[in-house]
Amino acid sequence: SAPQADGQAELREKYFHDKRVEFETGCSAGDAGACFALGEWWLHFAKDPVKAEELFKSTCYERKHGNSCFSLAQLYQGGRAGKDSADEARKAKTFELNSLACEYKNFQGCGMAGMCRMYGFGCEKDIEKAQELMSAACEENDANSCFRLGRIYLDGEKKHGVARDASVAFRHMLKACQLGHPNGCQVVSVMYKKGDGVAQDEKRHEFYRERTMDIIRQTGERIGANVVM
């Protein structure tokens, strides 16, 4: 009913207002995590990326807060920050911020800095540094980095100048899958079917095919075209 819906909307507004006050109080008291949460509040609830950018910037550079550096990098990468900058300057800023995020122990930042290194996005292309950064992120359970590392070893010389190593690729893909990455699970399924990098096993092929579909059903994630081999 309309009155019930209005009541729920009021409760929601009050909840988000109270959270903002809580984050502002914590941020004023010097809590970097509260400043980061306030930036996320402005970005996702108030839909104000300019305010969010200000908070992420000060919390990243002044308080060395990895999550703030990473969120700011995402804003630059998506064109929601640095709009007046030239494209190359925005890319360089994205790489710089992901590298800072990594330095301050945000391991998604390590993975994204690795991606930048892999393609020369805002930095010099360097596949060895890309692998180092992605390995660090994968070790800290960043599923995307495990998957991308697996792709480097699967694609081999033709794409990245790295020798193809299906068994190493399988290890990274399996970890990506165990961390809930549907593309990783599909690749594992295909590798079991082909006996590529692992002993051929029809039962395990079926198991990981089902696991892929389960993750998609649970999360709504789609499988990327790049998993077809």
Side-chain angles (χ1 to χ4, degrees):
S1 66
Q4 189 178 7
D6 288 346
Q8 286 172 345
E10 275 178 37
L11 280 172
R12 185 172 178 275
E13 287 289 331
K14 183 181 185 312
Y15 171 77
F16 281 108
H17 173 267
D18 290 349
K19 291 310 275 184
R20 192 189 86 193
V21 172
E22 178 191 325
F23 298 149
E24 283 174 342
T25 305
C27 186
S28 298
D31 180 351
C35 297
F36 166 68
L38 185 58
E40 291 285 301
W41 188 94
W42 280 107
L43 182 61
H44 299 293
F45 179 69
K47 311 291 184 197
D48 189 337
V50 175
K51 274 269 194 193
E53 181 185 350
E54 283 172 21
L55 280 154
F56 292 148
K57 194 173 282 182
S58 61
T59 313
C60 170
Y61 286 110
E62 292 166 26
R63 304 187 191 211
K64 298 179 166 39
H65 189 258
N67 291 354
S68 297
C69 301
F70 181 70
S71 287
L72 187 56
Q74 295 290 97
L75 287 180
Y76 271 96
Q77 189 175 335
R80 299 173 78 188
K83 287 180 182 177
D84 299 330
S85 307
D87 195 40
E88 282 309 309
R90 204 161 41 76
K91 287 179 181 177
K93 200 73 177 167
T94 301
F95 172 68
E96 176 203 316
L97 286 161
N98 278 314
S99 299
L100 273 179
C102 181
E103 187 182 328
Y104 303 148
K105 306 300 181 198
N106 176 299
F107 292 101
Q108 282 178 287
C110 300
M112 290 307 294
M115 275 282 284
C116 291
R117 281 291 188 195
M118 190 170 165
Y119 295 107
F121 185 97
C123 57
E124 192 178 330
K125 185 173 177 174
D126 187 327
I127 196 67
E128 282 185 22
K129 282 187 179 165
Q131 286 171 286
E132 279 174 32
L133 286 160
M134 287 182 198
S135 290
C138 180
E139 279 171 27
E140 294 294 333
N141 297 332
D142 179 43
N144 286 326
S145 292
C146 298
F147 176 75
R148 287 172 188 138
L149 263 178
R151 283 262 38 132
I152 288 173
Y153 287 106
L154 265 186
D155 293 336
E157 294 281 355
K158 62 180 181 181
K159 271 196 175 180
H160 307 295
V162 174
R164 188 178 194 276
D165 190 327
S167 62
V168 173
F170 176 80
R171 194 171 72 240
H172 291 306
M173 289 297 183
L174 184 60
K175 184 165 184 180
C177 175
Q178 289 165 344
L179 292 167
H181 197 297
N183 287 354
C185 293
Q186 175 162 8
V187 173
V188 167
S189 173
V190 173
M191 292 180 87
Y192 269 122
K193 187 171 183 65
K194 291 182 171 180
D196 186 19
V198 68
Q200 200 165 14
D201 190 320
E202 192 60 33
K203 280 187 180 173
R204 287 184 177 174
H205 157 65
E206 282 298 329
F207 173 83
Y208 285 102
R209 195 173 68 82
E210 278 302 312
R211 176 103 180 90
T212 305
M213 300 316 294
D214 285 344
I215 294 170
I216 291 166
R217 280 191 287 267
Q218 287 165 20
T219 64
E221 282 195 50
R222 293 173 61 236
I223 294 182
N226 64 342
V227 302
V228 180
M229 292 181 291

